[in-house]
Amino acid sequence: MTPPTDRERWRPPLEDVLDPVFGRMGVPPMIVVIPDGWSRWGCGQWVDSPVTGNFEQYVLHDVVPFVDAHHRTIPDPRSRGVFGFSSGGFGAWNLSSRNPEVFGAMAVLSADSFLDMTHKSMLYKYLDSIWPEAPTGPVEGNEWSQLVYDYSATYSPNPDRPPFYVDLPVAHPSGELIQEVWDRWLAFNPVINVHDRLDNLRKVSGILLDAGSNDDYNLHWGHRLLSHYLDEAGISHEHRENTGNHGGRAPERYQVALQWLSQVLASDRATTCPTQPSTA
């Protein structure tokens, strides 16, 4: 049965998600690292921004070296994967497709993608929600305003434009799309930047695309298009769809991702060192 709504998210204790993976599901031991990707704007999308912070560099130069220095890892990209859900799924794509020398596999779960279809409409839903007033920053309790300003802070930051330090991609009151700003958003769009990252993607040992076919934000269409482009480029990957929506099956999909990573990441069977996926 499909979960009833994205608005009622199940946030169980971490062990409720992980214990079945290493118990009932029989996944071999591995190190699971869950760094904090939140800024005061919302999720940092795991990209570098002068407004929200350098989250990509944080993972590459702080998290990974720290874990390798303090835990029994196999410090090799073939034994290190990255996975995440929604913004974290986008982050998994960004981190691995840009840095295959660090992350050798990615499990991309219901990731932000195909922005022309899925995110452009958010801009106008935001304007509708405050009409006829002009944008004046995030509005508490207004989902569309918070999403638009969070995405703008990560995709089109402007440190010279206080007090919110962003460039919005749509003009008020005309609704005209400001193409120069929108192009900055699109540069982060997986279905666009996939074409510039093919050489990197050929270096990774595994790519999993997983989304609910009833995603509330239509992110499954981005996964379908991304899978199509990977097929065209002859890049091996797995594309799965489940019957869920955007958030209702997230814990289950985390478990699926960990099980899949355990199958594609290399492990040194001559030692007891576990493989290490890192989650974003």
Side-chain angles (χ1 to χ4, degrees), residues 101-153:
E101 74 284 357
V102 178
F103 296 108
M106 66 177 94
V108 180
L109 311 177
S110 300
D112 293 3
S113 52
F114 202 0
L115 270 59
D116 274 314
M117 175 187 179
T118 58
H119 286 51
K120 187 182 290 184
S121 62
M122 295 181 185
L123 301 170
Y124 296 98
K125 288 177 180 178
Y126 166 50
L127 291 183
D128 279 340
S129 72
I130 61 171
W131 191 265
E133 302 299 323
T136 56
V139 179
E140 185 175 358
N142 183 323
E143 175 189 16
W144 302 118
S145 76
Q146 293 169 344
L147 284 172
V148 166
Y149 275 89
D150 182 26
Y151 288 133
S152 296

Side-chain angles (χ1 to χ4, degrees), residues 32-43:
V32 181
V33 181
I34 307 178
D36 185 353
W38 287 87
S39 74
R40 71 184 192 72
W41 299 93
C43 185

Side-chain angles (χ1 to χ4, degrees), residues 82-92 107-111 210 254 257 278-280:
V82 60
F83 71 102
F85 183 89
S86 193
S87 291
F90 171 88
V108 180
L109 311 177
S110 300
D210 182 287
Y254 290 137
S278 176
T279 168

Side-chain angles (χ1 to χ4, degrees), residues 48-215:
D48 293 339
S49 164
V51 172
T52 60
N54 292 333
F55 283 97
E56 180 178 354
Q57 299 307 307
Y58 160 63
V59 172
L60 298 178
H61 301 301
D62 293 316
V63 175
V64 170
F66 179 88
V67 174
D68 282 343
H70 291 83
H71 299 278
R72 298 175 63 205
T73 67
I74 303 174
D76 186 289
R78 294 170 299 176
S79 298
R80 188 187 298 117
V82 60
F83 71 102
F85 183 89
S86 193
S87 291
F90 171 88
W93 170 265
N94 184 67
L95 288 167
S96 185
S97 66
R98 282 173 51 84
N99 306 282
E101 74 284 357
V102 178
F103 296 108
M106 66 177 94
V108 180
L109 311 177
S110 300
D112 293 3
S113 52
F114 202 0
L115 270 59
D116 274 314
M117 175 187 179
T118 58
H119 286 51
K120 187 182 290 184
S121 62
M122 295 181 185
L123 301 170
Y124 296 98
K125 288 177 180 178
Y126 166 50
L127 291 183
D128 279 340
S129 72
I130 61 171
W131 191 265
E133 302 299 323
T136 56
V139 179
E140 185 175 358
N142 183 323
E143 175 189 16
W144 302 118
S145 76
Q146 293 169 344
L147 284 172
V148 166
Y149 275 89
D150 182 26
Y151 288 133
S152 296
T154 53
Y155 301 153
S156 55
N158 186 346
D160 298 323
R161 193 169 189 174
F164 301 108
Y165 305 102
V166 302
D167 291 327
L168 298 181
V170 64
H172 180 275
S174 69
E176 179 182 13
L177 189 71
I178 304 172
Q179 194 63 47
E180 181 274 331
V181 179
W182 183 241
D183 286 343
R184 293 165 63 190
W185 283 43
L186 294 182
F188 291 95
N189 189 352
V191 303
I192 291 180
N193 61 41
V194 60
H195 303 292
D196 297 323
R197 302 181 184 181
L198 296 179
D199 288 343
N200 282 352
L201 292 166
R202 292 188 176 98
K203 297 176 183 177
V204 303
S205 59
I207 302 172
L208 171 65
L209 306 178
D210 182 287
S213 58
N214 298 296
D215 189 277

Side-chain angles (χ1 to χ4, degrees), residues 255-270:
Q255 295 170 338
V256 167
L258 285 167
Q259 184 178 50
W260 177 83
L261 283 167
S262 75
Q263 297 165 355
V264 300
L265 293 176
S267 61
D268 185 352
R269 300 188 184 280

